């Protein structure tokens, strides 16, 4: 996803709504049922846990954290990478829901150090930065992409730990969106690795990969939460 004014306007607007919702919830008098809850969750952003607090009868605040690794095949341009995506993130979420209702709308903010690392050893000549190189010239190609540390979150979910019994099964469906393009670095160890033209081709390929990598990530999380108090 490319940079653009409309996306920046949307990110700022969503952040303002999320901050206003939390501030308003904290000003409201506490409503029954009171208490806090904790649980575990797993899905497309790793394995982790959460702590939830009933801020109001229509709002819940959650602190979440995740870690883990996802391995996948990823084709970018002419190159097929064997990729590893390492998750390390924490976030704060504000759930908005009707009193005692299970369905919720969620806005949030994440801070993370997620990284994408890909390796490829082409068996045929491929284009890098618009220039064709042979397998011997490329050798093993290593790509690293470090996504921005800040990400917004928006989604919906089911499961309210403060309505019903002690145990609750939860589901979150939504997406992260990153506020800028990832920082991409490429290197190769073939016969052309010391040549200026190869290094410049890698720099151009880095720019192309940064534009092609999505600036959002799907979030699908399943959890189990226990309510205390």
């Amino acid at each position: 996803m490319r940079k653009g004014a409309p996306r920046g306007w949307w990110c700022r607007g969503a952040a303002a709504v999320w901050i206003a919702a939390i501030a308003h919830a904290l000003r409201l008098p506490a409503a029954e049922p009171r208490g806090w809850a904790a649980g575990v969750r797993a899905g497309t952003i790793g394995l982790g846990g959460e702590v939830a607090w009933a801020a109001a009868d229509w709002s819940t605040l959650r602190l979440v954290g995740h870690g883990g690794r996802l391995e996948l095949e990823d084709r970018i341009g002419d190159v097929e990478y064997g990729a590893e995506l390492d998750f390390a993130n924490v976030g704060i979420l504000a759930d908005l829901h009707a009193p005692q209702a299970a369905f919720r709308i969620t806005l949030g903010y994440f801070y993370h150090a997620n990284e994408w690392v890909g390796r490829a050893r082409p068996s045929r000549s491929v284009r890098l930065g618009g220039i064709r190189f042979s397998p011997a010239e490329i050798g093993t190609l290593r790509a690293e992409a470090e996504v921005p540390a800040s990400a917004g979150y928006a989604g919906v979910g089911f499961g309210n730990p403060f309505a019903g019994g002690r145990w609750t099964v939860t589901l979150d469906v939504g997406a992260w969106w990153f506020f800028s393009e990832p920082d991409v670095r490429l290197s190769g160890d073939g016969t052309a690795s010391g040549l200026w033209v190869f290094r410049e081709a890698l720099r151009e390929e880095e720019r192309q990969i940064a534009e092609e990598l999505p600036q959002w990530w799907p979030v699908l999380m399943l959890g189990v939460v226990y309510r205390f108090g």
Side-chain angles (χ1 to χ4, degrees), residues 24-199:
H24 185 57
L26 293 176
R27 289 198 303 268
L28 290 178
E32 295 295 340
R34 297 290 296 157
W36 63 282
V40 295
R41 39 195 267 134
T44 59
I45 58 175
L47 174 66
E50 68 175 87
V51 177
W53 173 60
D57 59 350
W58 55 270
S59 178
T60 301
L61 299 182
R62 289 185 287 158
L63 179 65
V64 299
H66 315 90
R69 170 173 292 182
L70 176 65
E71 297 183 358
L72 67 159
E73 298 292 325
D74 199 354
R75 185 178 185 83
I76 303 178
D78 274 0
V79 182
E80 184 81 24
Y81 292 93
E84 297 175 351
L85 181 57
D86 290 319
F87 292 101
N89 55 78
V90 294
I92 183 169
L93 304 175
D95 298 325
L96 307 177
H97 51 77
Q100 299 297 298
F103 176 78
R104 60 180 183 268
I105 298 174
T106 304
L107 297 174
Y109 169 85
F110 277 83
Y111 177 84
H112 56 76
N114 299 339
E115 290 188 351
W116 178 92
V117 177
R119 295 177 180 83
R121 190 172 181 84
S123 58
R124 58 179 178 81
S125 62
V126 297
R127 289 186 178 276
L128 297 174
I131 302 175
R132 187 171 294 276
F133 295 93
S134 69
E137 290 173 322
I138 296 172
T140 298
L141 191 63
R142 177 182 171 87
E144 298 180 51
E146 184 176 341
V147 297
S150 298
Y153 173 80
V156 297
F158 298 90
N160 184 349
F162 304 104
R166 295 282 187 179
W167 291 96
T168 303
V169 176
T170 63
L171 175 67
D172 285 281
V173 181
W176 279 341
W177 72 89
F178 304 110
F179 299 141
S180 61
E181 291 177 350
D183 179 21
V184 179
R185 298 178 297 277
L186 285 174
S187 62
D189 59 5
T191 58
S193 60
L195 299 180
W196 174 85
V197 66
F198 183 73
R199 293 196 298 269

